[in-house]
Amino acid sequence: MLLTKLLSALDNVSMPENDYEICDIVYDSRKATEGSLFVCLKGYVVDGHDFAKSAYERGCRVFLAQRHLNLPDDSLTVIVEDTRAALPLLSAEFFRHPERRLKLIGITGTKGKTTVTKLTRDILTEGGYNTATIGTNGIYINGEHTPTVNTTPESFELFKAFDKMLKSNVDVCVIEVSSQAYLTHRVDSITFDIGMFTNLAKDHIGHGEHPDFQNYLECKAKLFENCRCGIFNADDKHYTDIRKNSKCTSLTYAIDTHADYTAGLIKEYKTDTCLGISFEAICATGVIPITLKMPGKFNVYNALAAIACAKRFGISDDIISSALKKSTVDGRFEIIDALENAVVIIDYAHNGFSMQNLLDTVRRYSPRRLVVLFGSVGSRTELRRKELGDVCAKSADFCVITSDNPDFEDPNKIIADIEKSFIESSTPYVTIADRGEAIRYVIRNACVGDVIILAGKGHERYQLIEGKHVFFDERDIVLEEAALLAKSTM
């Protein structure tokens, strides 16, 4: 695409006298080549302007920047006020606005985005829509998975994914829209067909993130200034503030207050290998019986959000009920069907708050033993280790303390920090530094009626060890060890 055509997407920019053919847009100097446009993004730690020379040395001659670059005369620098704000506009133009030819659903909130994304995708897929997703668990297009660094990718990667979706005959894309996505302008140029709000609590506040809670809330609320229909959790105490400046048609869901979509007859259920919850979804068109393979009142909220969205697409009650009955979410209370008389759960809980919620939820199902395998990441403060240790020492029946992305730190040092929480606790525990061996241990020693939680890794399929991502899939280890155990007892 000609540079002048690309720059036409921006306001108040000086057009170059000579035109250039642009074959790619990059913001990582290591990816710069001849024919690429290098966008100098200024981050909290790294400033892309400092890498312009490196991009030039790799053949790049056209740059978008916020200040003058000291580069040779055969280069061109286009100056704009904010390169981050410019990047989504350039990206949309470069890929010829694929976002306008897809149905886009954006989901925001502190908790529940990943679950609502997956539930929504499963319903729409069963209803006949080719549905892709973008979020914490990566990009999924027709079953093909691409990992992502951020919950909502950088704008160029986002539009690149949209372009691929169109070429793959995708109808709908469901996107987790983080507050950071609006703070850093990644989704500024996108109008969503549907926006969904789950809940809001203090999170992502501090250096390099949001300066305060009000800024965090305002960034979340921007989704509803840029969508055609908003679906809101009316039970959340911040609901009114979130929708205050919305310009969209709105629908609500709730359990405790009046809403367009509500839930009745909420019941927890338990089998030998599964924990779940059932309820009746009540809306203007009638009552839909729902059974989920995941527990907790919070998942009733998540399902109601997905149901409200599905009804906007005209999905039948039978399909909604059928899809939700089968749906699971990678690493979010993911039940692994491995043992005959015990429940095995993989969950992303990796701080004190999420661990406490997880254990409290499971405890309501009266397990014979609540067994928790967990660790804590390396190169972080000891506070998180203490939080996790304190919760498990108080709320679990048996613990296995192990590794969780130790990186450059000695796993035994991390384990020793966690062990301090058990000094005055009566909860028995063992320490096994090798996470794979720790998982094998809990599977081999499972008892009838146990609920076994593998906490911390969730959807991740790697271990971060000495700066390297080493392939590691807890599911494979669980199934392999369970198969060996079954074979040995035949």
Side-chain angles (χ1 to χ4, degrees):
M1 178 176 287
L2 290 175
L3 177 62
T4 51
K5 169 64 175 169
L6 202 54
L7 294 178
S8 67
L10 306 180
D11 294 327
N12 302 318
V13 62
S14 298
M15 290 292 178
E17 294 181 5
N18 298 318
D19 219 339
Y20 295 79
E21 183 67 33
I22 301 299
C23 63
D24 197 8
I25 299 174
V26 298
Y27 48 89
D28 182 339
S29 62
R30 293 167 295 184
K31 297 180 180 179
T33 61
E34 183 179 348
S36 62
L37 167 65
F38 181 72
V39 180
C40 302
L41 297 182
K42 189 175 182 180
Y44 292 105
V45 178
V46 177
D47 186 346
H49 293 78
D50 298 334
F51 295 87
K53 184 177 179 181
S54 175
Y56 177 89
E57 291 170 350
R58 292 175 181 269
C60 183
R61 293 295 181 267
V62 186
F63 300 81
L64 192 78
Q66 293 175 199
R67 57 177 170 80
H68 173 73
L69 301 174
N70 187 23
L71 295 173
D73 292 341
D74 64 337
S75 66
L76 170 69
T77 301
V78 178
I79 303 294
V80 294
E81 182 178 348
D82 187 339
T83 51
R84 282 198 173 276
L87 183 57
L89 300 172
L90 295 176
S91 301
E93 188 68 30
F94 184 80
F95 289 106
R96 295 175 174 82
H97 293 280
E99 80 283 6
R100 296 175 181 172
R101 290 168 281 166
L102 289 165
K103 289 287 186 181
L104 298 179
I105 301 169
I107 302 171
T108 197
T110 303
K111 302 290 184 183
K113 295 189 297 295
T114 301
T115 299
V116 175
T117 295
K118 181 59 161 54
L119 297 179
T120 302
R121 185 189 82 173
D122 288 350
I123 298 172
L124 294 179
T125 298
E126 188 154 334
Y129 290 91
N130 187 345
T131 308
T133 58
I134 299 175
T136 305
N137 287 1
I139 301 172
Y140 285 89
I141 303 173
N142 292 338
E144 179 185 342
H145 175 245
T146 304
T148 52
V149 175
N150 301 308
T151 296
T152 311
E154 190 54 78
S155 54
F156 184 78
E157 308 308 320
L158 202 54
F159 283 95
K160 185 176 182 179
F162 292 159
D163 183 60
K164 183 176 180 180
M165 289 173 194
L166 282 179
K167 293 172 181 175
S168 303
N169 298 314
V170 168
D171 305 309
V172 184
C173 178
V174 190
I175 310 165
E176 294 182 49
V177 183
S178 67
S179 56
Q180 289 281 313
Y182 276 111
L183 185 67
T184 57
H185 303 288
R186 294 177 210 156
V187 291
D188 280 4
S189 62
I190 298 174
T191 298
F192 293 87
D193 292 278
I194 294 176
M196 302 164 74
F197 167 66
T198 60
N199 50 66
L200 196 68
K202 289 184 178 180
D203 201 3
H204 301 294
I205 298 168
H207 178 70
E209 296 189 285
H210 297 278
D212 51 42
F213 181 74
Q214 184 60 31
N215 179 264
Y216 177 56
L217 184 152
E218 289 171 359
C219 285
K220 292 287 189 189
K222 282 185 180 179
L223 173 61
F224 304 100
E225 298 173 30
N226 296 282
C227 72
R228 297 183 178 92
C229 174
I231 298 174
F232 301 88
N233 176 0
D235 278 344
D236 189 86
K237 65 180 181 180
H238 298 290
Y239 154 63
T240 302
D241 290 330
I242 286 289
R243 68 169 294 181
K244 181 170 59 177
N245 296 318
S246 64
K247 302 172 183 177
C248 56
T249 302
S250 66
L251 294 170
T252 55
Y253 65 95
I255 297 174
D256 300 324
T257 58
H258 176 74
D260 297 301
Y261 292 82
T262 59
L265 299 179
I266 300 172
K267 297 178 181 178
E268 295 168 339
Y269 75 87
K270 177 183 178 183
T271 68
D272 288 343
T273 59
C274 184
L275 308 179
I277 199 161
S278 64
F279 66 97
E280 290 183 343
I282 305 163
C283 59
T285 58
V287 175
I288 311 171
I290 302 296
T291 300
L292 300 175
K293 289 174 63 176
M294 51 188 77
K297 187 178 179 180
F298 53 91
N299 278 318
V300 176
Y301 282 107
N302 293 335
L304 284 173
I307 291 166
C309 181
K311 294 293 281 185
R312 291 285 296 183
F313 278 81
I315 305 296
S316 72
D317 294 354
D318 287 345
I319 287 176
I320 290 172
S321 183
S322 172
L324 290 179
K325 189 172 185 178
K326 296 176 287 188
S327 186
T328 60
V329 183
D330 284 356
R332 301 301 195 276
F333 213 98
E334 181 183 357
I335 295 174
I336 307 301
D337 188 9
L339 300 174
E340 290 187 358
N341 298 302
V343 179
V344 181
I345 298 165
I346 293 176
D347 195 85
Y348 193 48
H350 58 284
N351 57 44
F353 178 77
S354 58
M355 182 70 83
Q356 189 68 67
N357 283 344
L358 174 62
L359 301 194
D360 287 348
T361 298
V362 172
R363 186 61 75 184
R364 289 199 294 270
Y365 288 81
S366 303
R368 179 182 178 277
R369 288 192 311 165
L370 178 48
V371 179
V372 184
L373 180 150
F374 75 105
S376 189
V377 297
S379 307
R380 300 284 178 91
T381 66
E382 293 186 11
L383 178 60
R384 181 177 288 185
R385 299 169 194 181
K386 184 178 187 305
E387 287 179 355
L388 288 165
D390 288 353
V391 168
C392 292
K394 178 186 71 174
S395 300
D397 295 315
F398 184 82
C399 292
V400 179
I401 310 174
T402 185
S403 295
D404 182 348
N405 293 344
D407 203 2
F408 290 101
E409 194 169 356
D410 180 359
N412 290 301
K413 165 64 169 60
I414 300 171
I415 289 170
D417 288 339
I418 296 171
E419 275 190 282
K420 296 173 185 176
S421 296
F422 288 79
I423 293 173
E424 297 181 2
S425 169
S426 60
T427 300
Y429 72 94
V430 297
T431 64
I432 304 173
D434 184 300
R435 192 175 179 100
E437 186 52 43
I439 293 170
R440 295 182 182 93
Y441 173 88
V442 294
I443 297 300
R444 287 196 302 268
N445 291 280
C447 299
V448 174
D450 282 355
V451 174
I452 300 167
I453 296 174
L454 312 182
K457 296 295 297 172
H459 61 282
E460 296 175 352
R461 284 173 166 82
Y462 63 84
Q463 276 276 57
L464 182 59
I465 300 173
E466 296 184 351
K468 297 180 180 178
H469 287 73
V470 180
F471 179 78
F472 182 88
D473 193 331
E474 296 189 322
R475 297 150 195 77
D476 291 346
I477 297 171
V478 168
L479 294 172
E480 288 170 6
E481 193 60 34
L484 288 173
L485 184 63
K487 187 176 182 180
S488 68
T489 58
M490 288 178 64

